[in-house]
Amino acid sequence: MDFYITKEEVVKSLNLTLGVVEKRQTLPILSNVLLETKNNKLNIIATDLDIIFHDEITNDLKIDQEGSTTTSATVLYDLMRKLPSNLDVTFDLQSQNKLKISAKNSKFNLLCLPTDNFPNFADDFKSSPIKLDGKKFLSLLNKTKISMSNDDTRHYLNGIFIHTTASN
């Protein structure tokens, strides 16, 4: 993976990932952000397994070699934020666990985790939206919220599983 991009494009996207990545993670990969270049696009993906953030960047981007890696979202954001404005930044994946970032007189090496460890989301992010009647949906939520647990030790009972089904 080897690409060039302006600092502002990456910082804008990484700023939003900080609200999604795990602060106190049980899995180290959840504190990382997935950087993936393909089809002349940079995909930035972050998740905490409940929420998925996906941003597709095509502006001010030049890809020399496609590829993907994961690196710490907070470290990458702090590094990019502190660089001077209007600067082109080069991302170069040296090996499976080393990402080289260079801009003007600055050079950084970040540790990476394999993309195989990052959660795989087979869903298409551009699927058609679901249209719901707001009053009926609120009524359904009010009828089912009593079954949700308030106990933090049993986190798997703290939500409602919402899915679509075909009706006759």
Side-chain angles (χ1 to χ4, degrees):
M1 181 174 82
D2 189 8
F3 65 94
Y4 307 89
I5 191 165
T6 59
K7 171 207 166 189
E8 285 75 19
E9 288 292 325
V10 177
V11 169
K12 189 174 17 174
S13 183
L14 288 175
N15 186 28
L16 297 172
T17 65
L18 295 181
V20 175
V21 294
E22 288 283 318
K23 308 299 184 272
R24 294 183 214 137
Q25 74 279 359
T26 54
L27 299 170
I29 196 73
L30 295 182
S31 65
N32 282 11
V33 62
L34 175 67
L35 303 172
E36 180 180 49
T37 55
K38 67 179 181 182
N39 301 329
N40 292 322
K41 297 175 187 171
L42 170 63
N43 293 311
I44 297 179
I45 303 171
T47 185
D48 65 355
L49 296 180
D50 288 329
I51 300 171
I52 303 167
F53 171 80
H54 176 254
D55 193 15
E56 195 173 83
I57 300 173
T58 56
N59 299 336
D60 302 322
L61 174 69
K62 182 179 180 267
I63 300 173
D64 288 339
Q65 183 180 358
E66 293 183 346
S68 61
T69 190
T70 69
T71 191
S72 172
T74 53
V75 171
L76 183 59
Y77 174 72
D78 289 341
L79 183 146
M80 296 299 290
R81 188 174 50 91
K82 292 177 182 175
L83 288 174
S85 298
N86 300 323
L87 199 61
D88 284 339
V89 182
T90 304
F91 288 76
D92 185 15
L93 188 61
Q94 300 290 308
S95 65
Q96 187 176 7
N97 61 355
K98 184 179 174 185
L99 178 65
K100 180 181 174 185
I101 300 174
S102 53
K104 206 171 183 177
N105 297 329
S106 305
K107 290 187 173 113
F108 305 95
N109 289 313
L110 298 182
L111 294 177
C112 302
L113 290 175
T115 57
D116 299 340
N117 295 347
F118 199 81
N120 183 9
F121 305 104
D123 294 339
D124 183 15
F125 290 110
K126 295 186 181 189
S127 62
S128 59
I130 300 170
K131 296 182 182 183
L132 301 171
D133 179 2
K135 289 182 181 180
K136 288 181 181 178
F137 185 63
L138 182 60
S139 173
L140 283 172
L141 288 177
N142 285 329
K143 290 177 182 176
T144 56
K145 72 180 182 183
I146 190 72
S147 65
M148 294 183 351
S149 172
N150 292 328
D151 186 9
D152 288 338
T153 59
R154 298 173 69 186
H155 61 86
Y156 50 88
L157 297 176
N158 288 350
I160 297 175
F161 177 58
I162 299 173
H163 59 100
T164 58
T165 58
S167 62
N168 296 333

